[in-house]
Amino acid sequence: MTALFLKEVARNPWTAGLFLLPPLLALGFQGRGEGVGLVGLYSGLSLLLPPLVLALAVPLLASREEWALLLGFPVRPFLAFLQGVLGVLLGLAPPLLLGLLLGAGLLGFSWEAGLWLLLSGMGLLLFWLGLAALLSALLLEERRALALGFGLFGLLNVLYGPLVVALAVRLRDYPLEGLLTLALLLNPQEIHRVGLLLGLKAPVLTGPVGYLVAERLGTVGPLLGLGYLVLFGLLLTLLAATLFARRDR
Protein backbone atom coordinates (compact mmCIF):
# COMPACT_ATOMS: atom_id res chain seq x y z
CA MET A 1 0.00 0.00 0.00
CA THR A 2 2.77 2.41 0.92
CA ALA A 3 4.50 2.08 -2.45
CA LEU A 4 1.22 2.53 -4.36
CA PHE A 5 0.27 5.72 -2.54
CA LEU A 6 3.82 7.06 -2.71
CA LYS A 7 3.80 6.57 -6.48
CA GLU A 8 0.46 8.36 -6.85
CA VAL A 9 1.66 11.36 -4.86
CA ALA A 10 5.03 11.55 -6.59
CA ARG A 11 3.48 11.56 -10.06
CA ASN A 12 1.16 14.47 -9.19
CA PRO A 13 2.72 17.69 -10.59
CA TRP A 14 1.15 19.77 -7.80
CA THR A 15 3.47 18.04 -5.33
CA ALA A 16 6.18 20.38 -6.62
CA GLY A 17 4.29 23.18 -4.87
CA LEU A 18 5.64 21.86 -1.57
CA PHE A 19 9.16 22.54 -2.84
CA LEU A 20 8.40 26.01 -4.23
CA LEU A 21 6.33 27.33 -1.32
CA PRO A 22 9.04 27.81 1.38
CA PRO A 23 11.59 29.67 -0.78
CA LEU A 24 8.89 31.94 -2.20
CA LEU A 25 7.75 32.80 1.33
CA ALA A 26 11.37 33.29 2.40
CA LEU A 27 11.83 36.05 -0.14
CA GLY A 28 9.46 38.20 1.88
CA PHE A 29 11.53 37.91 5.07
CA GLN A 30 15.02 38.56 3.78
CA GLY A 31 16.99 41.05 5.88
CA ARG A 32 14.54 41.00 8.80
CA GLY A 33 16.51 38.95 11.26
CA GLU A 34 16.66 35.25 11.98
CA GLY A 35 13.91 35.13 14.61
CA VAL A 36 11.48 37.16 12.54
CA GLY A 37 12.27 35.08 9.47
CA LEU A 38 11.74 31.79 11.26
CA VAL A 39 8.44 32.71 12.90
CA GLY A 40 7.25 34.54 9.79
CA LEU A 41 8.05 31.60 7.55
CA TYR A 42 6.29 29.19 9.92
CA SER A 43 3.23 31.46 10.06
CA GLY A 44 3.16 31.72 6.27
CA LEU A 45 3.41 27.95 5.94
CA SER A 46 0.55 27.46 8.39
CA LEU A 47 -1.65 29.52 6.07
CA LEU A 48 -0.56 28.17 2.68
CA LEU A 49 0.59 24.59 3.30
CA PRO A 50 -2.68 23.06 4.64
CA PRO A 51 -4.79 23.57 1.47
CA LEU A 52 -2.06 21.96 -0.61
CA VAL A 53 -1.76 18.98 1.74
CA LEU A 54 -5.54 18.50 1.78
CA ALA A 55 -5.81 18.72 -2.00
CA LEU A 56 -3.04 16.15 -2.50
CA ALA A 57 -3.96 13.68 0.27
CA VAL A 58 -7.75 13.57 0.41
CA PRO A 59 -8.43 12.44 -3.19
CA LEU A 60 -6.30 9.35 -2.54
CA LEU A 61 -7.31 8.53 1.02
CA ALA A 62 -11.03 9.17 0.53
CA SER A 63 -11.45 7.14 -2.66
CA ARG A 64 -14.10 4.50 -1.93
CA GLU A 65 -13.56 2.82 -5.30
CA GLU A 66 -9.80 2.57 -4.86
CA TRP A 67 -10.11 1.14 -1.37
CA ALA A 68 -12.65 -1.41 -2.59
CA LEU A 69 -9.99 -2.68 -4.99
CA LEU A 70 -7.01 -2.46 -2.64
CA LEU A 71 -8.72 -4.25 0.23
CA GLY A 72 -8.96 -7.29 -2.00
CA PHE A 73 -5.34 -7.91 -1.03
CA PRO A 74 -4.68 -9.93 2.14
CA VAL A 75 -4.13 -6.97 4.46
CA ARG A 76 -6.06 -5.72 7.48
CA PRO A 77 -8.03 -2.51 6.87
CA PHE A 78 -6.38 -0.78 9.83
CA LEU A 79 -2.87 -1.49 8.55
CA ALA A 80 -3.87 -0.80 4.96
CA PHE A 81 -5.04 2.69 5.83
CA LEU A 82 -1.94 3.43 7.90
CA GLN A 83 0.23 2.25 5.02
CA GLY A 84 -1.69 4.52 2.67
CA VAL A 85 -1.13 7.53 4.94
CA LEU A 86 2.57 6.61 5.22
CA GLY A 87 2.83 6.48 1.43
CA VAL A 88 1.32 9.96 1.15
CA LEU A 89 3.69 11.25 3.85
CA LEU A 90 6.73 9.78 2.10
CA GLY A 91 5.60 11.40 -1.12
CA LEU A 92 5.05 14.84 0.40
CA ALA A 93 7.96 15.04 2.86
CA PRO A 94 10.99 15.09 0.49
CA PRO A 95 9.91 18.09 -1.64
CA LEU A 96 8.84 19.99 1.47
CA LEU A 97 12.14 19.31 3.24
CA LEU A 98 14.11 20.40 0.18
CA GLY A 99 12.03 23.56 -0.06
CA LEU A 100 12.57 24.30 3.63
CA LEU A 101 16.31 23.83 3.24
CA LEU A 102 16.31 26.22 0.30
CA GLY A 103 14.24 28.74 2.25
CA ALA A 104 16.62 28.51 5.21
CA GLY A 105 19.55 29.07 2.86
CA LEU A 106 17.95 32.12 1.30
CA LEU A 107 17.45 33.63 4.75
CA GLY A 108 20.95 32.73 5.93
CA PHE A 109 19.74 30.76 8.94
CA SER A 110 22.12 29.24 11.43
CA TRP A 111 22.01 25.46 11.80
CA GLU A 112 19.78 25.78 14.88
CA ALA A 113 17.21 28.00 13.17
CA GLY A 114 17.35 25.82 10.06
CA LEU A 115 16.67 22.73 12.16
CA TRP A 116 13.70 24.42 13.84
CA LEU A 117 12.34 25.36 10.43
CA LEU A 118 12.61 21.76 9.19
CA LEU A 119 10.99 20.36 12.33
CA SER A 120 8.21 22.96 12.31
CA GLY A 121 7.42 22.33 8.65
CA MET A 122 7.27 18.59 9.20
CA GLY A 123 5.08 19.12 12.26
CA LEU A 124 2.60 21.09 10.16
CA LEU A 125 2.67 18.38 7.49
CA LEU A 126 1.97 15.64 10.04
CA PHE A 127 -0.86 17.58 11.65
CA TRP A 128 -2.71 18.35 8.41
CA LEU A 129 -2.07 14.92 6.95
CA GLY A 130 -3.59 13.42 10.10
CA LEU A 131 -6.60 15.70 9.73
CA ALA A 132 -6.92 14.79 6.04
CA ALA A 133 -6.74 11.09 6.95
CA LEU A 134 -9.44 11.46 9.60
CA LEU A 135 -11.84 13.25 7.25
CA SER A 136 -11.14 10.73 4.50
CA ALA A 137 -11.79 7.73 6.72
CA LEU A 138 -14.89 9.32 8.20
CA LEU A 139 -16.56 10.23 4.90
CA LEU A 140 -14.91 8.14 2.16
CA GLU A 141 -16.15 10.70 -0.33
CA GLU A 142 -13.66 13.11 -1.89
CA ARG A 143 -15.79 16.21 -2.34
CA ARG A 144 -17.35 16.20 1.11
CA ALA A 145 -14.00 15.44 2.79
CA LEU A 146 -12.32 18.28 0.91
CA ALA A 147 -15.16 20.68 1.67
CA LEU A 148 -15.04 19.87 5.38
CA GLY A 149 -11.23 20.02 5.36
CA PHE A 150 -11.18 23.49 3.82
CA GLY A 151 -13.87 24.54 6.28
CA LEU A 152 -11.70 23.38 9.21
CA PHE A 153 -8.73 25.16 7.64
CA GLY A 154 -10.70 28.40 7.62
CA LEU A 155 -11.79 27.84 11.21
CA LEU A 156 -8.34 26.98 12.58
CA ASN A 157 -6.21 29.36 10.52
CA VAL A 158 -8.43 32.34 9.71
CA LEU A 159 -11.28 32.58 12.23
CA TYR A 160 -9.50 31.00 15.19
CA GLY A 161 -7.92 34.15 16.58
CA PRO A 162 -11.05 36.35 16.57
CA LEU A 163 -13.20 33.51 17.93
CA VAL A 164 -10.84 32.71 20.82
CA VAL A 165 -10.51 36.37 21.75
CA ALA A 166 -14.29 36.78 21.64
CA LEU A 167 -14.67 33.69 23.83
CA ALA A 168 -12.15 35.05 26.34
CA VAL A 169 -14.02 38.36 26.55
CA ARG A 170 -17.41 36.70 26.96
CA LEU A 171 -16.26 34.23 29.62
CA ARG A 172 -14.29 36.61 31.82
CA ASP A 173 -17.26 37.08 34.17
CA TYR A 174 -18.31 33.40 34.19
CA PRO A 175 -16.76 30.27 35.79
CA LEU A 176 -16.40 28.61 32.39
CA GLU A 177 -12.75 29.32 31.76
CA GLY A 178 -12.09 25.63 31.07
CA LEU A 179 -13.77 26.14 27.72
CA LEU A 180 -11.17 28.74 26.84
CA THR A 181 -8.33 26.36 27.72
CA LEU A 182 -9.96 23.67 25.58
CA ALA A 183 -10.25 26.10 22.68
CA LEU A 184 -6.54 26.89 22.95
CA LEU A 185 -5.58 23.21 23.05
CA LEU A 186 -7.61 22.43 19.93
CA ASN A 187 -5.17 24.32 17.72
CA PRO A 188 -1.65 22.92 18.22
CA GLN A 189 -0.36 25.07 15.34
CA GLU A 190 -0.87 28.19 17.40
CA ILE A 191 0.64 26.65 20.50
CA HIS A 192 3.80 25.84 18.56
CA ARG A 193 3.90 29.35 17.07
CA VAL A 194 3.74 30.86 20.55
CA GLY A 195 6.40 28.39 21.69
CA LEU A 196 8.70 29.56 18.90
CA LEU A 197 8.09 33.19 19.78
CA LEU A 198 8.72 32.77 23.49
CA GLY A 199 11.51 30.20 23.28
CA LEU A 200 13.55 31.91 20.58
CA LYS A 201 12.74 35.43 21.85
CA ALA A 202 11.82 36.57 18.35
CA PRO A 203 11.08 40.33 18.19
CA VAL A 204 7.54 39.74 16.95
CA LEU A 205 4.28 40.56 18.71
CA THR A 206 2.64 37.46 20.12
CA GLY A 207 -0.87 38.82 19.61
CA PRO A 208 -3.90 38.25 21.85
CA VAL A 209 -3.95 34.48 21.28
CA GLY A 210 -0.30 34.27 22.25
CA TYR A 211 -1.06 36.17 25.44
CA LEU A 212 -3.92 33.79 26.26
CA VAL A 213 -1.74 30.73 25.62
CA ALA A 214 0.96 32.06 27.95
CA GLU A 215 -1.64 32.97 30.59
CA ARG A 216 -3.59 29.69 30.51
CA LEU A 217 -0.95 27.12 29.68
CA GLY A 218 2.10 28.72 31.27
CA THR A 219 5.51 28.68 29.63
CA VAL A 220 5.30 26.79 26.34
CA GLY A 221 8.70 26.20 24.80
CA PRO A 222 9.27 25.41 21.14
CA LEU A 223 10.06 21.75 21.85
CA LEU A 224 6.88 21.26 23.87
CA GLY A 225 4.80 23.00 21.21
CA LEU A 226 6.38 20.91 18.45
CA GLY A 227 5.79 17.70 20.41
CA TYR A 228 2.14 18.58 20.88
CA LEU A 229 1.76 19.37 17.17
CA VAL A 230 3.33 16.06 16.09
CA LEU A 231 1.45 14.05 18.73
CA PHE A 232 -1.86 15.57 17.61
CA GLY A 233 -1.14 14.56 14.01
CA LEU A 234 -0.22 11.00 14.98
CA LEU A 235 -3.32 10.58 17.15
CA LEU A 236 -5.55 11.85 14.33
CA THR A 237 -3.97 9.31 11.99
CA LEU A 238 -4.49 6.42 14.40
CA LEU A 239 -8.08 7.50 14.98
CA ALA A 240 -8.60 7.65 11.22
CA ALA A 241 -7.27 4.11 10.73
CA THR A 242 -9.49 2.85 13.57
CA LEU A 243 -12.61 4.45 12.07
CA PHE A 244 -11.73 3.13 8.63
CA ALA A 245 -11.36 -0.41 9.97
CA ARG A 246 -14.65 -0.30 11.86
CA ARG A 247 -16.97 1.47 9.44
CA ASP A 248 -19.36 -0.42 7.18
CA ARG A 249 -17.76 -0.28 3.76
Side-chain angles (χ1 to χ4, degrees):
M1 296 292 181
T2 300
L4 291 174
F5 280 80
L6 170 59
K7 181 179 179 181
E8 290 297 319
V9 173
R11 67 193 298 182
N12 191 327
W14 288 103
T15 303
L18 293 167
F19 170 73
L20 297 173
L21 184 59
L24 289 176
L25 285 172
L27 294 176
F29 295 100
Q30 287 184 315
R32 300 192 179 184
E34 189 172 82
V36 175
L38 175 58
V39 176
L41 196 50
Y42 171 79
S43 300
L45 284 173
S46 68
L47 287 174
L48 299 177
L49 182 65
L52 191 55
V53 173
L54 289 170
L56 290 169
V58 169
L60 292 173
L61 297 175
S63 175
R64 187 185 297 268
E65 293 78 12
E66 184 171 0
W67 282 117
L69 175 64
L70 294 176
L71 291 179
F73 295 103
V75 59
R76 294 173 54 194
F78 179 84
L79 291 178
F81 195 84
L82 284 182
Q83 291 171 6
V85 176
L86 178 60
V88 176
L89 175 63
L90 293 178
L92 297 180
L96 178 61
L97 287 173
L98 289 175
L100 291 170
L101 284 172
L102 181 56
L106 288 174
L107 294 176
F109 281 176
S110 64
W111 71 267
E112 183 180 4
L115 179 60
W116 273 116
L117 180 61
L118 294 178
L119 293 175
S120 299
M122 286 303 299
L124 278 176
L125 176 60
L126 287 171
F127 173 71
W128 281 99
L129 183 56
L131 190 56
L134 179 60
L135 296 175
S136 300
L138 188 63
L139 299 173
L140 279 182
E141 204 283 311
E142 176 184 340
R143 292 184 179 179
R144 288 192 297 163
L146 277 174
L148 186 54
F150 286 129
L152 288 175
F153 162 71
L155 178 63
L156 291 176
N157 292 38
V158 179
L159 299 176
Y160 177 78
L163 288 176
V164 168
V165 172
L167 184 65
V169 172
R170 295 292 295 176
L171 294 181
R172 62 184 177 182
D173 296 326
Y174 299 93
L176 299 173
E177 296 180 353
L179 293 176
L180 179 59
T181 303
L182 177 61
L184 294 171
L185 291 173
L186 286 177
N187 194 348
Q189 303 171 107
E190 192 66 16
I191 292 177
H192 181 48
R193 184 188 73 85
V194 174
L196 285 174
L197 284 169
L198 299 179
L200 304 179
K201 296 180 173 60
V204 179
L205 294 176
T206 60
V209 174
Y211 172 78
L212 291 172
V213 169
E215 182 187 43
R216 300 290 171 183
L217 304 181
T219 302
V220 178
L223 189 59
L224 181 60
L226 177 65
Y228 185 57
L229 183 65
V230 172
L231 178 62
F232 216 106
L234 293 177
L235 290 177
L236 288 174
T237 302
L238 292 174
L239 178 58
T242 302
L243 289 175
F244 180 79
R246 290 181 176 274
R247 66 172 292 138
D248 183 12
R249 295 178 297 277

